């Protein structure tokens, strides 16, 4: 597995097209324990003024996180996700996520993210992410759960050297 390229301010992330299916909308709502009828019941959604069921914000939040780690690598750690919803994601549409690295300061990057669909802008916001150190990325082989500091004990895989906690890169 190739280590991700270290991002620079101004870099554009490749677009990610996500088909919006009924299954994705309902599964996302259930997984996030959001049982509001507008996320799974077409008739009740229509009675409330929506043409169909629509995606909840927690599913969108997860998709934004996936978009970031797909590009920056699985060892990137999301520190802050600040998003705002706009046009709903309805079944049968496609959301296209795009991003731009706004800043890189040491081991931390800020990424501006936008998600558009056929109705308009579904999501916009910023994600603050701690970038994996090159050593941690190279040291971690496929399926090993990540490189760890041998002195870190047997705690969370997020402790140790997989994520740099400051200093220059």
């Amino acid at each position: 597995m190739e280590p991700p390229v270290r991002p620079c301010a101004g870099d554009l992330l490749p677009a990610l097209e996500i088909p919006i299916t009924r299954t994705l909308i309902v599964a996302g709502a259930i997984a996030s324990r959001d049982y509001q009828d507008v996320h799974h019941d077409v008739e009740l959604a229509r009675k409330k003024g929506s043409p169909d069921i629509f995606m909840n914000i927690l599913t969108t939040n997860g998709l934004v996180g996936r978009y970031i780690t797909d590009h920056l690598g699985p060892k990137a750690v999301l520190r802050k996700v600040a998003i705002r919803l706009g046009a709903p994601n309805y079944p049968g549409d496609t959301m296209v996520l795009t991003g731009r690295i706004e800043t890189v300061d040491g081991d931390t990057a800020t990424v501006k993210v936008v998600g558009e669909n056929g109705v308009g802008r579904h999501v916009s916001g910023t994600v603050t992410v701690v970038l994996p150190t090159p050593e941690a990325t190279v040291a971690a082989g496929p399926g090993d759960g990540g490189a760890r500091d041998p002195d870190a004990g047997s705690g969370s895989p997020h402790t140790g050297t997989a994520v740099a906690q400051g200093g220059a890169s």
Side-chain angles (χ1 to χ4, degrees), residues 22-41 48 53-61 85:
R22 289 185 186 285
T23 301
L24 176 61
I25 292 169
V26 173
I30 291 169
S32 61
R33 298 183 180 186
D34 183 347
Y35 304 116
Q36 291 193 40
D37 50 28
V38 294
H39 303 308
H40 64 86
D41 189 314
K48 293 183 177 182
I53 62 172
F54 55 90
M55 184 175 286
N56 72 353
I57 192 168
L58 295 172
T59 303
T60 299
N61 195 60
L85 291 185

Side-chain angles (χ1 to χ4, degrees), residues 16-165:
L16 174 64
E17 292 187 11
I18 301 171
I20 307 302
T21 64
R22 289 185 186 285
T23 301
L24 176 61
I25 292 169
V26 173
I30 291 169
S32 61
R33 298 183 180 186
D34 183 347
Y35 304 116
Q36 291 193 40
D37 50 28
V38 294
H39 303 308
H40 64 86
D41 189 314
V42 177
E43 288 180 34
L44 291 174
R46 287 183 180 146
K47 284 182 183 177
K48 293 183 177 182
S50 178
D52 207 332
I53 62 172
F54 55 90
M55 184 175 286
N56 72 353
I57 192 168
L58 295 172
T59 303
T60 299
N61 195 60
L63 291 170
V64 167
R66 170 198 162 190
Y67 177 61
I68 298 299
T69 58
D70 277 359
H71 182 70
L72 298 178
K75 298 200 182 321
V77 177
L78 305 179
R79 288 291 183 213
K80 181 179 179 184
V81 177
I83 59 172
R84 175 172 289 211
L85 291 185
N89 265 339
Y90 293 118
D93 207 342
T94 298
M95 177 174 63
V96 179
L97 289 169
T98 57
R100 180 179 187 275
I101 306 293
E102 293 292 305
T103 63
V104 177
D105 183 13
D107 64 349
T108 302
T110 303
V111 185
K112 181 177 181 178
V113 178
V114 173
E116 303 272 345
N117 61 31
V119 181
R121 180 167 287 175
H122 172 68
V123 64
S124 60
T126 58
V127 178
T128 304
V129 59
V130 176
L131 303 167
T133 62
E135 302 82 33
T137 304
V138 172
D144 75 353
R148 290 191 209 171
D149 180 346
D151 298 325
S154 60
S156 163
H158 296 291
T159 60
T161 59
V163 177
Q165 297 295 326

